Amino acid sequence: MSQKQLKEAFISNLNGTSLLEISAALSLPPLCLLCRGLLLVLYYLHHGKPVSSRKYSLLLDFLVLVSPLLFSCTVLSPIIFFIPVILAAFCAGIFSKIYSQRKREARVPFGQIVKEFQRACLDPECIPAITAFRVYINVLTSISILAVDFPQYPRRYAKAETYGTGAMDLGVGAFIFGNALVCPEVRHKAHTAQPRFSSVARQAFSVWPLLSLGVGRLLSVKSIEYHEHTSEYGVHWNFFFTLALVRLAASLLLAIFPKHKAWLVALAVAVLYQLLLSTTSLKMFILHGSDGRGSRLGFLDANREGLLSLFGYLAIYLASVQVGLWLLQRRSSVRGWLEALRGLALAVLALSVLLQLCQACTEPVSRRMANLSFCTWVLAHCLLLLGCFVLTDLTLVFTKLLVKGSSVPCCWKVVQPPDSRKKQGMEAVPVGRQDKLSQLCLISAINKNQLLFFLLANVMTGAVNILIDTIHSKAAFTLCILHLYMFFNCLIMYILHARNTVLKFW
């Protein structure tokens, strides 16, 4: 076989991994974020000032926030269940050291600290967990799209062919989920006086970069005969087209139906699509083409996976809009967010039960069709990850109360209770306000230019695959390439952030 055929075979006909293994892997990003925060608080405790060096700040962020993920999805994947335990134990050790080494005058009874923590008022202008979620989905996606071409990346983490739950299958749905959390319908929910279809017009203008990137990827892949997994989206389709059309369709539906009922619209779309899959020949068409032998004749037949899976991704997007609206309800205190955390836990439990019922009564999870089981699985695990980030932020808030004056980038700021005038009409905003912190932060840097980060990752992935025989690479070489690839991408984002540059012109 040619090199192109070898690489296509390397990423085809896979079956995914277990839900338990993916859940274990999802605990790593919040634990990395918690570890970074605790290390910064410990540094402040010893030196009386935050880390001021930009290069040391970048190095710390990369080594703690990114590097563990690279190791976990390659050489350390056989012990993936032990890595969260090791990280959690390390975080517990740092916290214990912080608690025992506080200044004598700052030492108060533990019960009093807990009461002060519950009464603490948080900055209502940002929700760091949403920013961390979106950035980490981007980071994990960027790692996976290159790592999957190396033999050290377990085949069970790659996208499943027809049925199965691979880590990369979840990444596609999570990308849709993260985009919906900060869509215009969520961010501008307070502006009720806007024209009914104004959001549709805004989305129609804002998606043109995605359509342009989709066309650019299509032309470049075909022109250089780059390896591609045809059954993923089809012959001409790609994820950029999916994201653009889902955003447009969702804006149109949310202009017709009330936004606070988005979950009902999502449920209706997902259930109706599943009924069509179960009761008609639609499933056979998606899996085997119009002639039953995998034909790719005509535009619809050639791109049937990408076009018809739009219904499932649309359901995920609409449900995520409802999550975003719920998260942005005013919660200015720790107590309010603890209640929200309980709500997230109940939602994850309910969706997990629903997932088991869907798989038993309909069919297993299929990213290729984006069926009801896939939608339920994506929502359950995205809410689980989001809840873990909220728990991480609250833990760091508690730690900062132990060490007065310490600060952690991209973490809630404890503020004085707002006066009565500010209480009225104020809502949280998920992104754009965290940069008040003087410290530079890799999370903030990537958040400022997320589309550029994703685009650079795709370009560099293509370059590496053209220049290197990835399939036959040794472990040490693979780790070096992956670290250089991610560090270069992060460095560009960090430099742009340091110069306060946002490369967005639409």
Side-chain angles (χ1 to χ4, degrees):
M1 289 192 293
S2 66
Q3 188 74 1
K4 179 177 182 289
Q5 291 172 323
L6 279 173
K7 290 190 174 184
E8 287 175 352
F10 194 57
I11 58 175
S12 302
N13 302 313
L14 305 172
N15 299 313
T17 185
S18 67
L19 297 178
L20 184 60
E21 184 169 13
I22 291 179
S23 298
L26 284 181
S27 66
L28 296 179
L31 284 170
C32 290
L33 196 63
L34 177 62
C35 181
R36 191 278 300 258
L38 292 174
L39 286 172
L40 289 175
V41 174
L42 183 63
Y43 181 91
Y44 180 88
L45 181 63
H46 284 173
H47 297 85
K49 61 179 182 178
V51 178
S52 56
S53 171
R54 290 183 175 182
K55 62 180 180 180
Y56 289 135
S57 178
L58 172 61
L59 189 60
L60 173 67
D61 280 0
F62 184 81
L63 290 178
V64 179
L65 300 180
V66 179
S67 191
L69 304 180
L70 285 168
F71 281 101
S72 298
C73 70
T74 51
V75 294
L76 295 184
S77 57
I79 58 168
I80 189 66
F81 289 102
F82 295 101
I83 298 175
V85 177
I86 295 170
L87 279 175
F90 184 66
C91 290
I94 301 173
F95 180 83
S96 176
K97 193 168 186 178
I98 291 171
Y99 187 80
S100 62
Q101 293 185 1
R102 291 173 299 152
K103 293 181 180 178
R104 188 174 301 277
E105 61 271 15
R107 294 183 181 179
V108 294
F110 186 80
Q112 184 177 337
I113 297 174
V114 172
K115 290 180 181 178
E116 181 183 351
F117 168 68
Q118 292 179 337
R119 292 195 304 265
C121 291
L122 304 176
D123 183 1
E125 295 187 353
C126 69
I127 303 176
I130 294 181
T131 301
F133 177 91
R134 298 182 70 242
V135 167
Y136 258 112
I137 291 301
N138 215 330
V139 168
L140 290 168
T141 302
S142 299
I143 292 173
S144 296
I145 59 175
L146 178 57
V148 70
D149 294 313
F150 289 91
Q152 289 74 26
Y153 188 88
R155 297 300 91 194
R156 65 184 185 276
Y157 289 178
K159 290 177 180 175
E161 185 68 27
T162 301
Y163 295 105
T165 52
M168 292 185 72
D169 294 312
L170 178 62
V172 177
F175 214 96
I176 296 286
F177 183 94
N179 270 266
L181 289 179
V182 295
C183 69
E185 289 79 11
V186 173
R187 289 184 281 114
H188 301 296
K189 68 168 187 170
H191 304 298
T192 55
Q194 289 185 336
R196 191 173 182 84
F197 289 92
S198 62
S199 61
V200 181
R202 285 195 303 272
Q203 285 283 30
F205 178 73
S206 65
V207 299
W208 74 262
L210 293 172
L211 295 174
S212 301
L213 291 173
V215 172
R217 188 186 190 284
L218 171 64
L219 295 177
S220 60
V221 165
K222 298 301 181 184
S223 62
I224 64 175
E225 295 188 352
Y226 190 77
H227 67 277
E228 51 186 330
H229 192 186
T230 303
S231 63
E232 185 177 342
Y233 295 108
V235 177
H236 312 101
W237 205 260
N238 58 59
F239 183 67
F240 291 112
F241 292 140
T242 293
L243 185 56
L245 290 190
V246 164
R247 285 173 58 173
L248 279 175
S251 293
L252 182 60
L253 286 174
L254 293 173
I256 299 171
F257 299 99
K259 285 183 286 190
H260 64 278
K261 299 294 183 182
W263 70 275
L264 284 175
V265 184
L267 183 62
V269 171
V271 170
L272 288 174
Y273 177 54
Q274 183 60 53
L275 285 174
L276 288 174
L277 289 173
S278 301
T279 59
T280 68
S281 59
L282 184 62
K283 183 196 299 185
M284 295 302 297
F285 171 69
I286 295 175
L287 298 181
H288 305 293
S290 56
D291 63 352
R293 295 193 297 270
S295 66
R296 295 285 176 180
L297 302 175
F299 182 78
L300 177 59
D301 210 355
N303 303 285
R304 55 185 184 268
E305 293 93 349
L307 290 169
L308 292 171
S309 64
L310 286 171
F311 293 103
Y313 291 123
L314 178 60
I316 293 172
Y317 191 97
L318 291 168
S320 307
V321 168
Q322 188 74 65
V323 174
L325 292 171
W326 178 75
L327 285 173
L328 294 191
Q329 293 176 7
R330 181 177 175 80
R331 299 180 185 89
S332 59
S333 68
V334 167
R335 194 183 300 275
W337 278 105
L338 288 172
E339 293 175 0
L341 198 57
R342 183 177 60 182
L344 285 171
L346 290 174
V348 170
L349 180 61
L351 286 168
S352 299
V353 172
L354 180 60
L355 173 60
Q356 298 304 318
L357 291 174
C358 287
Q359 295 199 102
C361 300
T362 57
E363 58 186 349
V365 172
S366 173
R367 184 260 325 146
R368 187 175 177 183
M369 291 182 284
N371 57 5
L372 181 60
S373 297
F374 174 76
C375 297
T376 308
W377 172 56
V378 167
L379 290 172
H381 278 70
C382 285
L383 289 178
L384 174 63
L385 180 57
L386 194 58
C388 288
F389 278 123
V390 172
L391 181 60
T392 295
D393 284 330
L394 292 175
T395 305
L396 291 175
V397 168
F398 183 82
T399 309
K400 289 193 296 182
L401 289 176
L402 294 176
V403 183
K404 304 294 184 182
S406 60
S407 64
V408 178
C410 285
C411 173
W412 265 312
K413 293 173 63 179
V414 179
V415 297
Q416 296 297 323
D419 58 42
S420 57
R421 288 178 301 173
K422 292 183 179 178
K423 281 184 179 179
Q424 298 181 357
M426 184 181 290
E427 294 175 342
V429 178
V431 293
R433 301 297 180 91
Q434 292 103 314
D435 297 328
K436 294 177 181 178
L437 289 171
S438 59
Q439 294 170 275
L440 286 175
C441 170
L442 187 57
I443 299 290
S444 296
I446 297 174
N447 182 56
K448 264 193 172 181
N449 288 285
Q450 288 214 44
L451 184 57
L452 176 64
F453 182 84
F454 185 59
L455 178 59
L456 274 176
N458 277 270
V459 171
M460 286 193 284
T461 295
V464 170
N465 271 282
I466 291 171
L467 298 172
I468 295 174
D469 179 12
T470 56
I471 295 179
H472 302 100
S473 296
K474 301 297 183 182
F477 181 74
T478 297
L479 289 173
C480 287
I481 292 296
L482 290 176
H483 275 84
L484 285 172
Y485 154 79
M486 284 303 298
F487 185 78
F488 181 72
N489 207 346
C490 291
L491 178 62
I492 293 175
M493 298 302 107
Y494 203 78
I495 292 172
L496 291 174
H497 180 48
R499 297 181 177 181
N500 199 28
T501 302
V502 180
L503 295 181
K504 182 176 181 179
F505 48 88
W506 58 90

